[in-house]
Amino acid sequence: MHRPPLPARRHTTVALALTLTLCSALLLTLVAVEWRPLIDLDGRIAGTTHRWAVEHHGVTQVCRILTDWVWDPLTLRLVCAATMMWLVWRRSAWWTALWLAATCALGTLLQQSLKALVGRPRPVWPDPVDSAHYAAFPSGHAMTATVVCGLLLWLLHRHDPGRAVWRTAMILAVISVAGVGLTRVWLGVHWPSDVVGGWVLGALVVAVAVGGYERRWA
């Protein structure tokens, strides 16, 4: 699989990280100051999806299984742990394994710190279909899925997988990242902007981590 020269990749990573930083800062500010257009849009979307969730019990149950078991942050962290073991056992890549662990840990720390800082309440419904703890912004499920899938895709790409393997991995990653965000809104435990915030912040963590790795070890 052809890759661009390392300097070009570094410039692209830096530009992406700066763009994601600006987007994250803007969204964080709008949420923190409770910008009315955003709050109204969140409310309309969340209200509509909650009505659907109440009406369609089968779909709601599937969403609960996916979000609680398949795309749960603990499940995704276990996948990362398995990848770390593979890196050490099969590749003797201790530093890469430690980098992966440190990035996931820092992503979790950033996520929890922002939740505490912003303190955004979750949606409250008279007829809830699910429940969740802690503050709403950013979505921990969405952010964790983005970080884990992004890091694993990047590691896979470095090992030059075949075209079929790469396409399959890309499809699974996109479905996982998009799907977990949609389930959180469907189940009424997050506002849409919480999920978008998780996606953008997760992508920022990946971009910074990859940039740091390439600068130090590549």
Side-chain angles (χ1 to χ4, degrees), residues 18-109:
L18 289 174
T19 301
L20 291 169
T21 298
L22 292 175
C23 292
S24 299
L26 176 60
L27 182 56
L28 176 62
T29 300
L30 295 179
V31 169
V33 302
E34 299 182 353
W35 190 52
R36 181 50 53 187
L38 177 63
I39 301 302
D40 290 344
L41 179 61
D42 272 343
R44 289 195 299 272
I45 296 174
T48 299
T49 54
H50 179 68
R51 288 196 299 272
W52 293 343
V54 172
E55 294 170 0
H56 301 282
H57 301 286
V59 177
T60 299
Q61 186 59 28
V62 170
C63 287
R64 292 190 66 176
I65 293 172
L66 289 171
T67 197
D68 291 341
W69 295 99
V70 180
W71 295 322
D72 181 71
L74 177 58
T75 302
L76 295 173
R77 288 169 189 143
L78 289 175
V79 172
C80 265
T83 304
M84 290 168 55
M85 294 175 62
W86 180 84
L87 286 168
V88 172
W89 179 47
R90 296 296 298 272
R91 298 281 178 169
S92 297
W94 286 92
W95 284 114
T96 302
L98 289 173
W99 167 83
L100 179 60
T103 302
C104 290
L106 289 173
T108 300
L109 178 61

Side-chain angles (χ1 to χ4, degrees), residues 111-112 115 119-125 130-141 184 188-191 194:
Q111 169 204 131
Q112 295 299 325
K115 282 181 178 289
R120 189 185 199 186
R122 292 180 183 268
V124 177
W125 311 106
D130 202 356
S131 61
H133 305 290
Y134 308 113
F137 185 90
S139 165
H141 280 68
R184 302 309 283 169
V189 294
H190 273 295
W191 306 106
D194 299 335

